[in-house]
């Protein structure tokens, strides 16, 4: 299957494109965001990497033919989990938060939470392909990101907000001038996951408090999340506030511990050679 068949995209205007993997039919299917700038273009999250994302972007002319734009496309992972980082190895420039650099550089399929089944792939990307052979390929990040870093695209800037909880290196990218928040898995319009091996509920609560603060200070109008559909500031406030109020309860704590134990065991079984 060609890259042109594997992916599909939708233009949201103002140089922003929403890309998805058509045949990865799962709640784990991540949104891929492509944002054009006057001097630098960035792709935020890269999906599984089963077909060439750069080839798709090029074949569809999503970057145009501006001779002044000489910087290679920068691929940033909002965090290292497989559904977001699987295609990073296809790019010359790769950015991730410092807390998850080693996981990517070592191809650590425990920390990347690599968990894929055949039933999630509606059509195989190549003859004989099987999910059990899928692994996140090691990649050495060229851009090691920290809280407060600014990614300059020329006519727009993205500020790195370190928002741990879902994973220790989870980030949001905030376009302050346009009040856009690329939120990865820090927040999306669905059940937020805080029970993976490197999740931390106390960190997640603090991150959600920051999200509420962004809304209260009118710094966000639209959220472009790691999964599902986009949503606005009021919905962001409700989702974050609800998590804060529920996360500290005893039933929630018990459930988190149980699921973390089960998830860790399952990941060790599926990735027996990981350093975990």
């Amino acid at each position: 299957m060609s890259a042109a068949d594997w992916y599909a995209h939708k233009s949201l205007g103002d140089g922003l494109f929403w890309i998805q993997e058509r045949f990865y039919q799962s709640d784990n299917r991540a949104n891929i965001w492509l944002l054009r700038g006057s001097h630098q273009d960035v792709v935020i999250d890269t999906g599984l990497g089963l077909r060439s994302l750069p080839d798709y972007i090029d074949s569809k002319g999503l970057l145009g033919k501006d001779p002044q734009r000489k910087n290679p496309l920068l691929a940033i992972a909002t965090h290292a989990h497989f559904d977001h980082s699987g295609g990073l190895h296809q790019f010359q420039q790769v950015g991730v938060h410092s807390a998850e650099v080693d996981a990517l550089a070592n191809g650590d399929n425990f920390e990347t939470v690599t968990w894929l089944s055949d039933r999630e792939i509606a059509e195989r990307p190549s003859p004989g392909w099987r999910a059990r052979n899928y692994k996140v390929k090691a990649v050495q990040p060229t851009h090691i990101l920290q809280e407060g870093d600014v990614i300059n695209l020329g006519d727009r800037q993205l500020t790195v907000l370190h928002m741990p909880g879902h994973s220790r290196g989870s980030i949001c990218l905030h376009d302050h001038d346009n009040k856009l928040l690329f939120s990865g898995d820090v927040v999306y319009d669905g059940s937020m996951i805080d029970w993976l091996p490197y999740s931390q509920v106390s960190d997640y609560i603090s991150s959600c408090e920051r999200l509420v603060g962004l809304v209260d200070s009118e710094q966000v109008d639209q959220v472009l999340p790691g999964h599902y559909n986009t949503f606005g500031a009021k919905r962001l406030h409700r989702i974050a506030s609800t998590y804060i109020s529920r996360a500290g309860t005893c039933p929630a704590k018990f459930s988190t511990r149980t699921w973390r134990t089960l998830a860790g065991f399952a990941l060790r079984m599926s990735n027996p050679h990981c350093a975990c």
Side-chain angles (χ1 to χ4, degrees):
M1 181 185 296
S2 69
D5 292 327
W6 180 256
Y7 298 99
H9 74 274
K10 177 180 180 181
S11 174
L12 300 184
D14 198 24
L16 177 61
F17 299 90
W18 184 358
I19 303 173
Q20 290 190 319
E21 298 174 283
R22 296 175 57 217
F23 299 105
Y24 182 26
Q25 297 181 0
S26 166
D27 285 342
N28 287 330
R29 182 176 70 182
N31 294 325
I32 300 167
W33 304 103
L34 175 64
L35 183 60
R36 296 187 60 182
S38 59
H39 302 298
Q40 174 74 66
D41 306 313
V42 63
V43 60
I44 302 168
D45 292 331
T46 59
L48 298 176
L50 294 178
R51 298 289 89 185
S52 174
L53 181 56
D55 283 355
Y56 178 81
I57 292 170
D58 183 63
S59 69
K60 298 300 179 180
L62 300 187
L63 298 184
K65 300 296 183 182
D66 186 350
Q68 300 302 316
R69 189 184 290 108
K70 297 179 180 179
N71 293 328
L73 180 60
L74 171 60
I76 296 177
T78 58
H79 60 301
H81 290 169
F82 77 103
D83 46 331
H84 299 259
S85 67
L88 288 177
H89 68 279
Q90 301 169 349
F91 294 85
Q92 297 178 47
Q93 294 194 101
V94 172
V96 70
H97 188 269
S98 60
E100 294 178 343
V101 167
D102 288 346
L104 292 177
N106 297 329
D108 184 347
N109 279 274
F110 181 80
E111 184 159 359
T112 59
V113 192
T114 302
W115 186 274
L116 188 63
S117 68
D118 286 332
R119 67 177 178 273
E120 294 176 296
I121 306 298
E123 291 191 24
R124 295 181 182 181
S126 58
W129 181 92
R130 296 298 300 275
R132 66 169 177 259
N133 297 322
Y134 174 79
K135 300 293 180 185
V136 173
K137 295 182 180 180
V139 60
Q140 182 63 56
T142 58
H143 292 59
I144 300 174
L145 304 177
Q146 302 280 6
E147 166 73 25
D149 285 351
V150 176
I151 300 162
N152 184 9
L153 306 186
D155 57 346
R156 62 202 306 167
Q157 287 75 42
L158 300 176
T159 301
V160 176
L161 307 179
H162 183 211
M163 298 278 207
H166 176 70
S167 78
R168 57 185 173 180
S170 284
I171 61 171
C172 295
L173 296 172
H174 186 211
D175 181 344
H176 182 273
D177 291 342
N178 294 288
K179 296 187 178 183
L180 299 178
L181 187 71
F182 296 90
S183 66
D185 283 3
V186 175
V187 62
Y188 47 79
D189 201 353
S191 179
M192 293 157 69
I193 295 176
D194 59 8
W195 42 262
L196 294 170
Y198 288 92
S199 301
Q200 181 60 252
V201 172
S202 59
D203 287 342
Y204 220 149
I205 292 172
S206 296
S207 292
C208 283
E209 289 172 345
R210 289 191 71 185
L211 292 173
V212 170
L214 288 174
V215 176
D216 289 344
S217 58
E218 299 183 348
Q219 295 185 61
V220 174
D221 282 343
Q222 187 176 26
V223 180
L224 300 105
H227 298 273
Y228 312 125
N229 294 319
T230 63
F231 53 92
K234 288 184 178 179
R235 184 62 181 157
L236 172 60
H237 195 285
R238 185 177 302 119
I239 294 170
S241 299
T242 299
Y243 180 83
I244 293 168
S245 64
R246 292 179 178 176
T249 65
C250 288
K253 291 179 179 178
F254 176 79
S255 176
T256 297
R257 287 194 297 268
T258 301
W259 279 109
R260 181 179 291 119
T261 299
L262 292 173
F265 176 78
L267 283 166
R268 286 183 176 90
M269 293 299 100
S270 59
N271 299 288
H273 302 298
C274 67
C276 54

